[in-house]
Amino acid sequence: MRVFFNKETHLAFEKFKEIIDTKELIEGSKKHAEYLALQNQINPHFLYNTLEGIRSEALIEGIDSIANMTEALATFFRYTISNVDKLVNLEAEINNVKNYYKIQQFRFGDKLELNMEFEVKDYEEILQWKIPKLTLQPIFENAIFHGVERKIGKGILTLKVSATSQRLIVIISDNGVGMEEERVKKLNQKLRGATLEYMKEDGGEKGIALLNVNNRIKLIFGDEYGIYIYSKIGAGTDVEITLPFIKD
């Protein structure tokens, strides 16, 4: 016996399938987050106390470079470990990027440079707009290890913040080795919608990566927001992050 579906039944079936797929996506994201939390489980107080102990010993011995390094690490871990699932203001995310840059300078020295540009009318107000925690730093991490670290000469990282009447736009640029056109195309295809692909590749080995950040943005705000990549071999990479204006 054949069963025929009219247009309304077909649309209802497609809607139901979409709901099921979305539920599976959210559940999969939750399980992966729980896995990462267990994998990276650490006693924060033990970590902070250990780093503070190293810093104190370094100050006593007059080794300021080690003291500064451990202080930067303690600040970075304190921000990263606590309340990852919340929204924070843009200022907190930028401060975390500055601290991360300070840590990387111990490795790269003068080879690494960080610039910040704000093309906005009200600088102080923009800094208070909310974005998902750990949105910016993972992309800077990608820019360093997949872009500027592989090039000869000085690596320049740039954070550019601009805004429209309804959106916050953040562009993170590097002058690194860049990517092939086909690689950029494939990445942007994956970034079009919320996906669990980040569990299989970039994010799995390199921590909270570009696909993971994009996934969190889309699950929170919707598919019209997220990440888009522009890149050419030898010309560096631009990662554009589009977010809604949220103050509270």
Side-chain angles (χ1 to χ4, degrees):
M1 182 179 70
R2 291 186 178 183
V3 179
F4 295 94
F5 293 96
N6 58 30
K7 184 178 180 181
E8 288 75 14
T9 304
H10 178 74
L11 289 174
F13 177 78
E14 289 298 318
K15 184 64 178 176
F16 177 72
K17 185 175 181 297
E18 181 183 335
I19 292 170
I20 295 299
D21 289 344
T22 303
K23 183 179 179 182
E24 288 180 354
L25 175 63
I26 293 171
E27 288 301 318
S29 297
K30 285 180 180 178
K31 288 179 180 178
H32 188 56
E34 290 168 0
Y35 167 76
L36 288 176
L38 289 171
Q39 186 182 51
N40 299 306
Q41 193 172 47
I42 189 169
N43 185 328
H45 297 293
F46 172 76
L47 176 65
Y48 305 147
N49 291 338
T50 302
L51 289 172
E52 183 56 33
I54 296 171
R55 179 174 178 272
S56 298
E57 288 295 321
L59 288 172
I60 292 170
E61 296 296 327
I63 312 174
D64 292 341
S65 60
I66 294 178
N68 292 335
M69 176 63 162
T70 52
E71 183 179 20
L73 278 171
T75 302
F76 178 76
F77 283 126
R78 190 183 298 274
Y79 183 83
T80 303
I81 291 172
S82 61
N83 300 321
V84 180
D85 59 342
K86 65 185 267 188
L87 297 180
V88 298
N89 59 40
L90 179 61
E91 184 175 22
E93 278 289 285
I94 290 175
N95 286 339
N96 189 48
V97 166
K98 290 178 180 177
N99 192 58
Y100 177 73
Y101 170 67
K102 186 188 297 183
I103 294 169
Q104 292 303 323
Q105 278 188 305
F106 283 94
R107 178 184 178 190
F108 293 98
D110 294 336
K111 187 187 174 183
L112 197 62
E113 179 181 321
L114 174 64
N115 299 315
M116 296 196 177
E117 302 173 10
F118 291 85
E119 299 178 352
V120 295
K121 293 181 180 179
D122 193 331
Y123 170 77
E124 294 296 333
E125 183 180 0
I126 286 291
L127 289 178
Q128 299 311 310
W129 293 103
K130 303 289 186 180
I131 69 173
K133 190 173 185 179
L134 296 178
T135 293
L136 305 184
Q137 180 272 326
I139 298 177
F140 273 98
E141 185 174 338
N142 270 7
I144 291 174
F145 293 107
H146 303 297
V148 300
E149 185 179 24
R150 300 179 182 181
K151 69 165 286 172
I152 298 173
K154 191 168 190 174
I156 300 174
L157 306 171
T158 304
L159 173 72
K160 183 183 292 185
V161 179
S162 61
T164 67
S165 59
Q166 296 181 334
R167 297 187 176 194
L168 178 68
I169 301 168
V170 180
I171 299 176
I172 296 170
S173 305
D174 68 70
N175 67 335
V177 296
M179 290 184 284
E180 296 175 351
E181 184 178 348
E182 188 60 29
R183 171 65 174 158
V184 175
K185 184 179 178 180
K186 286 181 179 179
L187 269 175
N188 281 326
Q189 285 175 345
K190 290 181 180 180
L191 292 167
R192 283 178 182 169
T195 172
L196 292 179
E197 287 297 315
Y198 72 91
M199 294 169 63
K200 301 175 184 176
E201 44 185 283
D202 301 50
E205 294 182 2
K206 302 176 181 67
I208 302 175
L210 193 141
L211 292 171
N212 177 284
V213 173
N214 181 70
N215 206 52
R216 288 189 289 123
I217 290 172
K218 289 186 178 297
L219 284 173
I220 295 170
F221 302 123
D223 278 344
E224 62 185 297
Y225 303 102
I227 292 173
Y228 195 86
I229 302 170
Y230 304 88
S231 185
K232 287 185 178 181
I233 289 290
T237 301
D238 293 344
V239 178
E240 183 180 80
I241 311 167
T242 305
L243 296 156
F245 270 136
I246 296 179
K247 192 169 184 178
D248 297 325

